[in-house]
Amino acid sequence: MTSASEAVERYRGAEYERLFRAARRRLEKNGGSLDGPPVGVGNPDEAERKAIIGITGDYRDPGVKHMSVTLSELDAVVRAGTGLTLAALLETIGGPLRNRPREAARALAARGDALRPAKESPLYESAEWYREWLDEVSRDGTVSRLAGRSRTAGALARAARVLEFLEARTEGCLPVTLAELAAKITHHPKALDHPGTLSTLVLRALAMRAGVPAPGSAEERRDLWDRHEVVVDDLASRILVLNLPAEGEGLGEWLTGAARFGAPFQVTLHQLNTFPVVLRAPVVHVCENPAVLRRAAAELGPQCPPLVCTEGRPSTAFHRLAALAVEGGARLRYHGDFDWPGVDMAGVAARRHGAELWRMTAADYLAGLAHLGDLPEGDEHLRLSERAVPTPWDPALAEAMRERGSAVYEESVADSLLADLRG
């Protein structure tokens, strides 16, 4: 007489492997129910054919294409031979059975718990970019991954608090360091460091808010934080200066000395924070591209009026220096690229610092285009591809740029800028 343990061992045979694998899939899928259609084996070999005949009692000829058995039949045979239920036998020979419906319900509940605090944020009602961000991280599996791990389950709620804090800040407020922001929201100064989960979530949202691609490099991450008045590194946030004398020990002395020789000088946010200065220039010109400042230094030297260069998107160091110049009575004159990011940055300088837009009219744009001449076929780097930006100081400028569809970069109009600086 075959013992129960011997019967269990018999069911470990290769002839039962595919049948039991199909039974396991069905039980895991339906939560352990024996109801439903039969499970089967396609193109069974001779051993499998005989094994299934032994279970069902139904003879099938050799070469049969498919054989099947209901789970209730299989369960009854297993109970009679081993004293175990089908589910217990499958766990004995193959490990625990999953309950996929219960897992799916738990995962759905966990997703809801992870999303709920973010959806309860006031930004969900007021900010389209915020809703788009939540929709994207829900669709691409991010929320499911976060909810599935206890360590990251609350990351969306923390990200929402960071975004609420940044959204509530008004343009022109003092910047905050990344460590200060992290400590304020999470009580841990390194919580927003890359490549952490919280940092990734927040930067994806801020990229949507700014209408730019998600950052892929350290420089892009730093620029995106800087755009939202968050300083990652006060040594990396800098501004290029030419002939801007200043009062004050340390930095003031260095700026004054550099101006005496007409030498470009790199000023960091760390220096501005460490060495207070007073600026007394009546007019400070601002350009976007270092090639313009380089030409001014080479051609005008110490005779060039005060000129600063943002080197692309204005950093926190630029905004700090610009504010100091305006406090000292300076009038800012800003020029940038004639592309959509360039006119956007010009608008920010005008709103935030009261800057005059220097040669940034539709007429200046069209003159720059005329200077460039006909664009070579396929010269895509001059094509305007980003979303259009309004130019309230001269609405005709945005209209002309949309109509022509071509960028005019600052280097190509440097002759007219240098002529103004000479004058």
Side-chain angles (χ1 to χ4, degrees):
M1 185 175 184
T2 303
S3 68
S5 60
E6 289 174 332
V8 169
E9 288 305 311
R10 188 182 79 227
Y11 282 130
R12 294 183 188 273
E15 65 269 31
Y16 294 101
E17 183 178 347
R18 286 207 293 162
L19 179 64
F20 283 164
R21 191 186 307 144
R24 172 180 284 273
R25 283 196 301 269
R26 177 67 58 77
L27 290 174
E28 289 184 337
K29 184 177 180 180
N30 67 18
S33 172
L34 297 175
D35 298 331
V39 296
V41 174
N43 298 313
D45 61 25
E46 188 62 13
E48 290 173 325
R49 184 181 72 88
K50 291 178 178 179
I52 296 174
I53 289 174
I55 292 171
T56 65
D58 294 332
Y59 178 78
R60 304 295 296 275
D61 292 327
V64 64
K65 295 299 183 184
H66 187 82
M67 298 182 73
S68 61
V69 58
T70 66
L71 291 182
S72 56
E73 281 183 296
L74 191 54
D75 181 70
V77 171
V78 167
R79 283 175 186 267
T82 67
L84 300 174
T85 65
L86 174 60
L89 174 66
L90 292 175
E91 290 192 330
T92 299
I93 64 179
L97 287 171
R98 296 177 63 179
N99 188 323
R100 294 186 183 276
R102 184 169 60 199
E103 289 176 5
R106 287 177 175 172
L108 185 62
R111 277 170 49 85
D113 291 341
L115 275 170
R116 189 173 301 109
K119 285 189 171 182
E120 290 173 351
S121 167
L123 292 177
Y124 192 76
E125 295 297 329
S126 63
E128 182 180 356
W129 61 266
Y130 182 87
R131 293 190 296 274
E132 290 176 355
W133 165 68
L134 272 186
D135 184 53
E136 183 177 279
V137 296
S138 298
R139 286 197 318 269
D140 69 6
T142 298
V143 174
S144 297
R145 289 194 297 274
L146 295 176
R149 294 176 287 185
S150 58
R151 184 172 57 86
T152 58
L156 274 176
R158 293 189 290 274
R161 294 202 302 273
V162 173
L163 296 169
E164 289 167 8
F165 175 84
L166 295 177
E167 184 74 2
R169 287 161 61 83
T170 57
E171 194 172 84
C173 61
L174 290 176
V176 61
T177 67
L178 190 65
E180 290 170 343
L181 176 59
K184 182 177 183 64
I185 302 299
T186 71
H187 307 294
H188 193 305
K190 294 186 179 296
L192 283 167
D193 286 0
H194 181 75
T197 299
L198 185 58
S199 171
T200 301
L201 284 171
V202 172
L203 286 171
R204 283 181 66 178
L206 293 180
M208 285 193 167
R209 184 179 187 271
V212 299
S217 66
E219 183 179 1
E220 289 173 348
R221 289 189 293 273
R222 186 168 58 243
D223 287 347
L224 189 55
W225 282 121
D226 214 47
R227 183 188 292 227
H228 292 87
E229 300 298 330
V230 179
V231 179
V232 176
D233 183 353
D234 59 2
L235 292 174
S237 181
R238 57 185 184 264
I239 178 73
L240 187 60
V241 174
L242 177 66
N243 297 349
L244 185 63
E247 300 171 12
E249 294 183 350
L251 179 59
E253 297 168 332
W254 304 333
L255 285 170
T256 301
R260 191 165 66 249
F261 295 98
F265 190 85
Q266 198 81 259
V267 178
T268 67
L269 182 60
H270 179 270
Q271 292 169 338
L272 290 167
N273 290 334
T274 305
F275 303 102
V277 294
V278 176
L279 305 175
R280 301 294 187 193
V283 178
V284 175
H285 290 80
V286 183
C287 64
E288 182 182 338
N289 295 286
V292 175
L293 187 140
R294 187 179 294 109
R295 275 194 60 184
E299 297 178 23
L300 304 179
Q303 305 307 314
C304 182
L307 175 65
V308 299
C309 175
T310 64
E311 297 185 274
R313 180 163 292 278
S315 64
T316 302
F318 165 76
H319 291 304
R320 181 70 61 84
L321 189 74
L324 288 171
V326 172
E327 286 174 15
R331 183 164 53 93
L332 297 184
R333 303 188 72 206
Y334 185 99
H335 187 277
D337 289 333
F338 285 110
D339 59 5
W340 297 124
V343 297
D344 178 56
M345 291 184 279
V348 170
R351 292 193 305 272
R352 183 162 176 175
H353 303 294
E356 299 174 11
L357 280 305
W358 171 32
R359 289 190 177 270
M360 291 290 289
T361 66
D364 295 310
Y365 169 69
L366 294 173
L369 273 183
H371 178 71
L372 288 175
D374 294 334
L375 298 180
E377 191 69 29
D379 197 358
E380 292 300 320
H381 76 284
L382 291 177
R383 302 296 176 192
L384 293 173
S385 57
E386 298 90 351
R387 186 184 307 170
V389 174
T391 53
W393 64 91
D394 184 6
L397 172 58
E399 183 178 342
M401 290 173 65
R402 277 194 298 267
E403 180 182 327
R404 300 303 180 94
S406 297
V408 176
Y409 294 117
E410 201 172 42
E411 297 92 328
S412 62
V413 298
D415 287 345
S416 59
L417 302 179
L418 268 289
D420 287 350
L421 294 173
R422 286 191 182 90

